[in-house]
Amino acid sequence: MIKKIILTAGSIVLVLLVVLGVHIYQVTGKGMSDGPNWSMGKIEVSPDLDSTRVEAVQEEYLQRPYIRAFRINREQGHFILLYDRKQVSGDELAGELGEKLQVSASLYRPSAEELASSCPAIPKDSFTYQLGSLFQSIFTKL
């Protein structure tokens, strides 16, 4: 019985190590993919925008092959775009959006502190965030 438990646990650990090794190999490979390189960007604008103009710009941008998603948050004054950064940069998109909407627009760049913390989209009081923080503290001490 104990032998069976040890073999099962060992097999699971071995499979997990192989999966981890394959993952590390894939993300640290030297070659760049020929396909799109999707990036998510937050473009900050003023919150007082004309909704019909913004929706027209959204529809126009969604027709472009290098834009996969375009979300609007009028209350907080920003757009979230998923774009192919091999074809266009976030700064170019921000500049173009600012011109089209006739407002000041800039690409959001997180601070060093925000980059060092866990995912900014996860609420700090959630179990997922706390578990991630635990792993982060363990690995930074090693």
Side-chain angles (χ1 to χ4, degrees), residues 17-139:
L17 285 173
V18 169
V19 168
L20 178 64
V22 169
H23 172 70
I24 291 172
Y25 175 76
Q26 288 178 335
V27 298
T28 58
K30 295 187 188 294
M32 282 282 286
S33 161
D34 290 335
N37 192 349
W38 298 107
S39 182
M40 186 174 289
K42 176 182 175 182
I43 298 177
E44 297 178 321
V45 295
S46 64
D48 55 336
L49 295 171
D50 178 22
S51 61
T52 56
R53 179 184 266 177
V54 170
E55 289 171 7
V57 169
Q58 179 185 26
E59 288 301 319
E60 176 190 336
Y61 273 67
L62 286 172
Q63 300 302 317
R64 298 178 183 190
Y66 53 85
I67 302 287
R68 182 181 278 179
F70 188 110
R71 304 281 188 260
I72 304 167
N73 187 327
R74 280 189 204 88
E75 294 81 28
Q76 295 181 357
H78 65 261
F79 305 123
I80 303 292
L81 283 89
L82 185 60
Y83 61 94
D84 182 359
R85 65 181 182 182
K86 286 184 177 179
Q87 295 185 31
V88 66
S89 75
D91 291 318
E92 291 171 345
L93 286 172
E96 189 179 338
L97 275 169
E99 286 177 23
K100 285 194 176 291
L101 297 171
Q102 298 173 348
V103 295
S104 174
S106 63
L107 182 66
Y108 173 75
R109 288 183 170 74
S111 67
E113 181 181 315
E114 290 172 320
L115 288 173
S117 71
S118 185
C119 177
I122 299 174
K124 305 258 188 265
D125 60 345
S126 71
F127 174 74
T128 305
Y129 180 83
Q130 292 174 1
L131 185 62
S133 295
L134 173 68
F135 284 126
Q136 185 178 11
S137 67
I138 290 170
F139 291 132

